[in-house]
Amino acid sequence: MHWPRYLWKAFNARPFGMPVPPLWFAVIASGLIGYFIAPPLAMIGLGATAMFTGILASSKRFRTTVDAPLLQAPIESEQSALLRRLDPWSRERHAKIEEQCQELQKVLETARAGQQHIAGVWQLAGLHLKLLVARTSAVAVTENRSEKGQKSLAEQLDDVKKRLGAEGLDGDLKETLEDQQRILAERIGMRAEAARRIDVLDAELERIRDQMALMRDQALLSSDPASIGRSVDGLAAFLNESGRWLKDQEDIFGEIGDLETAPYVSTLSDSAKQRNSKRVGESQ
């Protein structure tokens, strides 16, 4: 389908710095030779030009270069979009969880656990990431950096109430102050709710870390497949419970989603993975 376009691009291709494509010169030179010297030489020149055009158009590297401007930008994955929403502290915290997942995967592989068990471990990492994103959003509400150096919301509310209590207050000003009072009261309520959510999310994040530590200890101490199976069954129950918890906390998560997402991919560098593998070998 694209072959005519490749041929046209190949015929008009020119190296960097050349204002005119070199194959144009080949066609013109062939025509002049055929006209002034011998027509058969023109046919040979044109045939050689056509052959070179076809060879260039069939080059995979050349076709990739031609198609590059037509390719759409890659769609950002859900995982990458969530990572981008984290603050530096949360991103570092999540990297540590990925290191623990990598270590736990090595332990489970040594214990000959199934791939579905290892996938469950990385589901924990995905859950941890979503919880951190929700926590980052809640922290942004409680720690509004643009208000540093200003009075607290409670102090601002007290000031507005005092102004409303003054005698002889203008009607328009009173209406404006009442609206401001209502807005400040709502903001105070939102910050209290955000603080409550942070406490809930911190507890759930700690529970994930405890579950991973428990899985690792059980896998290291297990001497038979049945023990590994019980350990993984515990992980499955934990994930099911967490899934229900996510649905119950939809007001916290909004569009972050549930556990039924694409497989989680580790963002650790190769050097970090090698360090984790060495650490697991030493622990065993």
Side-chain angles (χ1 to χ4, degrees):
M1 181 184 298
H2 301 293
W3 184 245
R5 183 165 58 89
Y6 293 142
L7 287 174
W8 176 252
K9 290 290 185 179
F11 179 71
N12 291 280
R14 56 186 177 87
F16 180 76
M18 289 191 66
V20 180
L23 290 179
W24 289 14
F25 287 111
V27 172
I28 294 172
S30 299
L32 292 175
I33 291 174
Y35 182 79
F36 290 105
I37 301 177
L41 293 179
M43 299 301 296
I44 294 174
L46 292 174
T49 302
M51 181 180 67
F52 184 82
T53 302
I55 293 173
L56 182 59
S58 62
S59 169
K60 183 177 180 180
R61 183 175 180 181
F62 177 80
R63 293 200 304 269
T64 301
T65 303
V66 172
D67 292 337
L70 302 178
L71 298 177
Q72 295 181 350
I75 300 175
E76 186 178 37
S77 66
E78 178 193 28
Q79 181 181 330
S80 299
L82 292 176
L83 282 169
R84 190 164 47 82
R85 293 169 61 180
L86 295 180
D87 55 60
W89 179 84
S90 299
R91 199 172 293 117
E92 180 180 353
R93 187 177 182 183
H94 186 67
K96 293 179 180 179
I97 281 293
E98 285 199 356
E99 290 181 1
Q100 295 178 25
C101 285
Q102 189 71 30
E103 180 181 350
L104 182 54
Q105 177 178 340
K106 295 295 183 182
V107 172
L108 290 175
E109 288 174 348
T110 303
R112 298 180 181 178
Q115 287 300 317
Q116 70 274 20
H117 307 152
I118 295 173
V121 171
W122 287 104
Q123 265 191 295
L124 278 179
L127 174 60
H128 185 269
L129 175 59
K130 292 178 180 180
L131 293 174
L132 277 179
V133 171
R135 188 186 188 280
T136 300
S137 300
V139 169
V141 174
T142 60
E143 299 179 1
N144 192 335
R145 296 181 180 180
S146 63
E147 295 181 352
K148 284 189 176 181
Q150 300 180 10
K151 290 183 178 181
S152 66
L153 293 179
E155 292 173 336
Q156 294 179 45
L157 182 59
D158 289 339
D159 291 343
V160 171
K161 288 180 178 179
K162 289 179 182 179
R163 295 184 65 183
L164 282 170
E167 296 181 0
L169 195 64
D170 179 77
D172 291 338
L173 177 58
K174 181 179 180 180
E175 183 178 350
T176 301
L177 290 175
E178 287 176 345
D179 286 342
Q180 186 179 0
Q181 180 182 10
R182 175 183 55 79
I183 292 171
L184 287 171
E186 290 181 1
R187 291 187 64 192
I188 291 173
M190 289 297 296
R191 290 196 176 183
E193 174 62 18
R196 183 193 70 82
R197 292 183 181 186
I198 291 174
D199 290 339
V200 173
L201 291 166
D202 282 340
E204 192 68 15
L205 288 166
E206 190 64 32
R207 195 163 73 101
I208 290 176
R209 287 190 286 272
D210 291 340
Q211 177 66 29
M212 291 182 62
L214 175 63
M215 280 281 295
R216 179 182 182 278
D217 294 343
Q218 289 176 335
L220 286 173
L221 295 175
S222 296
S223 57
D224 62 293
S227 299
I228 292 289
R230 287 192 296 270
S231 176
V232 173
D233 288 342
L235 173 61
F238 178 89
L239 289 170
N240 289 334
E241 181 183 351
S242 297
R244 289 193 296 271
W245 184 84
L246 284 177
K247 291 184 180 299
D248 294 338
Q249 301 292 331
E250 287 183 355
D251 60 322
I252 292 181
F253 292 92
E255 298 180 356
I256 293 179
D258 53 25
L259 290 174
E260 300 300 327
T261 56
Y264 187 90
V265 180
S266 173
T267 59
L268 291 177
S269 63
D270 292 337
S271 59
K273 292 179 181 179
Q274 290 174 358
R275 288 197 303 271
N276 294 336
S277 298
K278 185 182 297 183
R279 189 186 310 148
V280 173
E282 291 173 354
S283 65
Q284 294 174 346

